[in-house]
Amino acid sequence: WSSSSFRPVSLELDTRYQIPEQILHSVIQWEWNIGEETSPLQHLRVIGHLPTSQKMDASQFDRANWFCTNVIIVRHGQSDNNTTYELIRSRFGDSLTPEQFEVELNKIHEPDCRVSSVGVSQSKALAEHIAAGKLNTLKQARSWKVLSSPMKRCLMTTQLIAAGFGPDYPVTVHPRFFESDGCFKKDEDGNSVGMPGMTKAEVEGRFPGFQCLPGMENGWFADRPGKETAGEFKLRTEELIDVLWTMHGDHLRDAQQRRQQEVLEGVPDAEKKPLDDRDLGYFIVAHGNLIRALISKLLGTFAMVAVDNTGLSFLQLWSTVDGQNRFASVQYCNRVDHLLHIDGGSLISGS
């Protein structure tokens, strides 16, 4: 879908290669220019069937019957751990066996690493891009709620990026948006040992304006014996998909309550107007493996998406206003416009 040499403005799903025939029923393809005011539903091309528990008639494709939540997910800036592979190769070349390489990697692996100097530059570039009004996707909502993974590299990235939204911009830290594997180190025998990660008090003390959700009192990875397993990561991804749809549901309910209040206040034609779904969007700073897993789960397929450091992906969660039908669409993946003009794109890393 993207690579270091090809970074699409919009995502195209090619059914010949990416989407197995048996899951076509759950995939939607769009043709939509984000800069246009036209409703995307007017440009809908269904390459399968909209997932639904009941038969849908043509009237349900009226934009007024649908409610959208916009979600931007960005990968953190380059971390110190992101540089370890090249560091080992620079020291040893190709002389190490896979086992020896793993030993050297464990020597310098940080359980919860910081962003590198390159990562700081990447994050500042995105903040400047946002502050200058160049991230047009932000026009899809009048305000954005910023959320962060609890890992240090995301917290640092978010602190820098949030400045682009405004001074002292509030940030919510979600304890479950951490990267696959979690927080761990290896002991002398090569066994993984779980580390607690930062606590709520540590995060809120070090990052003013950040507020942690419950579950970080003793550390966001506390009481874990070792690193997260593949099975645990799969279950957590499914849990976070539910979190995203819950955010959408809360957004929908808030809009419905505003509508009810307008009706009570006697606002003219309040009942006839479509629900306002452009009041709020979500901007989430997370991790490469997690972003890939979330996109795959939302689309019902396996998506090997390149995710560069500070690369942006834009998702939309749609449901009918009665909540009976819903689907997700991916508008684009891995945009790094904010890095392309800097030294010929030399800051681009991580794919």
Side-chain angles (χ1 to χ4, degrees), residues 159-172:
Q159 185 178 50
L160 294 168
I161 293 175
F165 286 90
D168 303 318
Y169 203 85
V171 172
T172 299

Side-chain angles (χ1 to χ4, degrees), residues 118-254:
V118 170
V120 170
S121 297
Q122 293 166 335
S123 303
K124 287 182 176 179
L126 180 52
E128 292 170 2
H129 193 72
I130 291 170
K134 295 180 180 179
L135 183 53
N136 288 331
T137 308
L138 293 179
K139 297 175 183 177
Q140 296 302 307
R142 295 187 296 277
S143 66
W144 290 83
K145 182 174 182 178
V146 177
L147 296 96
S148 174
S149 154
M151 302 192 85
K152 286 179 185 176
R153 53 191 182 271
C154 279
L155 297 172
M156 295 175 68
T157 299
T158 306
Q159 185 178 50
L160 294 168
I161 293 175
F165 286 90
D168 303 318
Y169 203 85
V171 172
T172 299
V173 180
H174 197 297
R176 301 292 285 167
F177 274 97
F178 59 87
E179 180 59 304
S180 59
D181 292 343
C183 190
F184 72 96
K185 65 179 181 180
K186 291 289 187 73
D187 62 20
E188 294 181 354
D189 297 323
N191 300 311
S192 68
V193 178
M195 306 291 288
M198 295 183 73
T199 66
K200 170 184 170 68
E202 289 171 337
V203 171
E204 294 179 352
R206 180 173 172 182
F207 297 91
F210 284 39
Q211 184 174 8
C212 299
L213 295 178
M216 296 181 57
E217 290 72 23
N218 299 316
W220 54 267
F221 206 66
D223 303 320
R224 300 291 294 267
K227 72 176 184 178
E228 182 182 55
T229 66
E232 290 170 335
F233 177 58
K234 180 177 181 293
L235 291 174
R236 182 166 58 88
T237 299
E238 294 171 353
E239 172 194 331
L240 291 176
I241 292 296
D242 289 339
V243 168
L244 293 177
W245 280 115
T246 297
M247 289 160 50
H248 171 80
D250 292 343
H251 185 205
L252 173 58
R253 279 189 293 275
D254 288 344

Side-chain angles (χ1 to χ4, degrees), residues 72-93:
I72 296 173
I73 306 184
V74 57
R75 186 186 177 193
H76 59 80
Q78 183 191 72
S79 70
D80 287 337
N81 281 350
N82 289 153
T83 67
T84 55
Y85 294 95
E86 290 303 320
L87 180 61
I88 293 173
R89 291 190 183 96
S90 68
R91 291 177 178 175
F92 300 99

